[in-house]
Amino acid sequence: MEIEIEVIGKGKVKAILDNRNPYTARMIYENLPLEGEANLWLHEIYFDVPLKLDYENPSSTTEKGDLSYWPPGSAFCIFYGGSQPASDVNNIGKITDNLELFFDVENDDKIVIRKF
């Protein structure tokens, strides 16, 4: 499942939703487009989404470029550097290009996720 993530006024990236947490990834994909305002924590960007999903195959670690869903906060997360999640997440995909875009994101930037 290919998606596009746009930071309004700053650029776009492509990503692939994968099978590490297939139900979570499918629910995200089926509810696109989603949008929110960026919140920054270390090298992570997250924002609330209107989906209430449980843990599927929770992980306490991520890799640079991972996309994740955080059930306690109903949040979509983008890990663009070396930071790790504050608590377990459902890893659902990977950024496939232009990861450096996220270093320019600021709090409250508008982010839109669409099917590609």
Side-chain angles (χ1 to χ4, degrees), residues 5-57:
I5 302 172
E6 180 177 7
V7 180
I8 301 299
K10 295 189 175 177
K12 299 177 183 180
V13 302
K14 293 179 183 154
I16 300 279
L17 298 181
D18 59 36
N19 290 320
R20 289 177 285 173
N21 287 276
Y23 177 77
T24 305
R26 188 172 73 249
M27 293 289 73
I28 294 284
Y29 189 77
E30 289 178 0
N31 283 279
L32 294 179
L34 293 170
E35 61 183 63
E37 292 182 357
N39 295 290
L40 302 178
W41 184 74
L42 302 173
H43 286 151
E44 174 189 351
I45 296 164
Y46 66 94
F47 57 92
D48 297 341
V49 294
L51 297 170
K52 302 287 184 204
L53 304 171
D54 289 324
Y55 283 110
E56 187 175 355
N57 297 307

Side-chain angles (χ1 to χ4, degrees), residues 55 58-61 69-72 85-90:
Y55 283 110
S59 177
S60 61
T61 62
Y69 175 81
W70 184 55
S87 63
D88 287 353
V89 293
N90 290 344

Side-chain angles (χ1 to χ4, degrees), residues 39-46 62-66 77-85 99 102-105:
N39 295 290
L40 302 178
W41 184 74
L42 302 173
H43 286 151
E44 174 189 351
I45 296 164
Y46 66 94
T62 60
E63 296 178 1
K64 188 176 180 179
D66 269 346
C77 310
I78 302 165
F79 291 91
Y80 61 94
S83 58
Q84 295 297 311
L99 186 61
F102 296 108
F103 286 96
D104 294 329
V105 172

